[in-house]
């Protein structure tokens, strides 16, 4: 258990006593495959450290189709930042793809830590800057990389997505049709023999 906190809240300005305070404010929760963690239209009042499992974020587009916007895997934070921090209804739905073990912290406890632990504030700034970088990189990849390269990157960075998520959901995340993704997968098998 402690390792997930050490990995996620890793920062040189967070000493062990502060880490213990942070851990104390988290509660273990389990989600079953298919559980909705946050429903679109609801305001997030917590975020989760994902110890094991896989969660996806999705929206419903103008055609009433589900479009996957992100995946959360082991050791990541399951969160809807605009909803949690701006106290606005979430545009995304967060759903467990597999059974999950996670650690929940509610907004008020987060605020308490943020105001009382300078190292936690610094960790938060660093985490947000990394998230901004990742989001920008994903936007650039959608424009500058081929669908094949985006798929290969997903395999490399989050192999559990490929193993556990239906192709249709992966296709929407990559911005391609199911048919195109099937063709990409066949081409990769032909090229690599895998």
């Amino acid at each position: 258990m402690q390792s997930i906190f050490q990995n996620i809240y890793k920062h040189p300005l967070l000493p062990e006593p502060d880490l213990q305070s942070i851990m104390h404010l988290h509660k273990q929760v389990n989600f079953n495959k298919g559980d909705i963690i946050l429903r679109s239209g609801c305001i997030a009042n917590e975020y989760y450290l994902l110890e094991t499992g896989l969660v996806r974020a999705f929206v419903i587009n103008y055609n009433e189709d589900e479009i996957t916007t992100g995946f959360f895997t082991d050791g990541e934070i399951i969160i809807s930042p605009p909803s949690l921090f701006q106290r606005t209804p979430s545009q995304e739905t967060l759903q467990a793809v597999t059974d999950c073990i996670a650690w929940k912290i509610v907004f008020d406890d987060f605020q308490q830590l943020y105001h009382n632990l300078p190292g936690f504030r610094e960790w938060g700034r660093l985490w947000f800057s990394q998230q901004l970088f990742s989001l920008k990189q994903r936007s650039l990849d959608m424009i500058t990389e081929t669908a094949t390269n985006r798929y290969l990157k997903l395999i490399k960075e989050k192999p559990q997505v490929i193993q556990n998520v239906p192709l249709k959901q992966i296709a929407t995340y990559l911005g391609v049709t199911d048919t195109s993704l099937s063709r990409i997968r066949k081409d990769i098998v032909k090229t690599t023999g895998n």
Side-chain angles (χ1 to χ4, degrees):
M1 171 192 100
Q2 189 169 356
S3 64
I4 187 167
F5 293 95
Q6 290 168 332
N7 290 337
I8 288 181
Y9 292 120
K10 186 175 184 177
H11 194 281
L13 297 179
L14 273 178
E16 185 62 29
D18 287 357
L19 186 60
Q20 293 298 322
S21 298
I22 293 166
M23 287 173 56
H24 179 70
L25 292 175
H26 288 71
K27 305 283 185 278
Q28 184 176 345
V29 292
N30 297 321
F31 297 109
N32 295 319
K33 179 180 179 176
D35 283 355
I36 299 296
I37 298 168
L38 175 65
R39 192 172 300 282
S40 171
C42 296
I43 296 175
N45 196 43
E46 59 270 316
Y47 68 84
Y48 305 85
L49 313 186
L50 184 57
E51 186 168 347
T52 62
L54 178 61
V55 172
R56 79 175 179 118
F58 67 91
V59 296
I60 305 296
N61 73 2
Y62 52 86
N63 285 329
E64 300 295 314
D65 296 321
E66 283 186 10
I67 306 296
T68 300
T69 54
F71 295 105
F72 303 93
T73 55
D74 295 4
E76 293 184 332
I77 297 177
I78 306 168
I79 190 170
S80 173
S83 181
L84 184 66
F85 298 118
Q86 295 175 352
R87 313 308 295 145
T88 57
S90 177
Q91 290 186 284
E92 295 176 302
T93 294
L94 305 179
Q95 182 179 36
V97 175
T98 64
D99 292 344
C100 299
I101 299 171
W103 295 86
K104 174 176 84 170
I105 182 168
V106 297
F107 181 73
D108 290 343
D109 289 342
F110 168 84
Q111 288 288 85
Q112 175 190 329
L113 291 171
Y114 200 78
H115 292 295
N116 295 329
L117 300 179
F120 190 76
R121 276 196 300 277
E122 290 308 311
W123 167 83
R125 287 187 184 107
L126 178 62
W127 182 84
F128 265 107
S129 65
Q130 290 169 337
Q131 295 306 301
L132 184 59
F133 173 79
S134 295
L135 185 61
K136 183 65 173 179
Q137 190 60 54
R138 175 160 156 70
S139 297
L140 292 172
D141 286 352
M142 291 296 283
I143 297 166
T144 62
E145 294 290 339
T146 65
T148 300
N149 285 345
R150 293 195 306 270
Y151 181 69
L152 290 169
K153 186 174 184 178
L154 183 61
I155 290 172
K156 181 180 177 189
E157 293 178 355
K158 298 191 177 196
Q160 57 274 62
V161 169
I162 308 304
Q163 298 158 2
N164 293 291
V165 177
L167 282 185
K168 183 174 185 66
Q169 294 173 4
I170 295 172
T172 65
Y173 177 73
L174 295 173
V176 299
T177 64
D178 315 17
T179 308
S180 295
L181 183 55
S182 292
R183 189 176 64 250
I184 288 167
R185 288 165 52 96
K186 285 178 188 168
D187 290 345
I188 290 171
V189 168
K190 280 184 204 170
T191 306
T192 63
N194 290 333

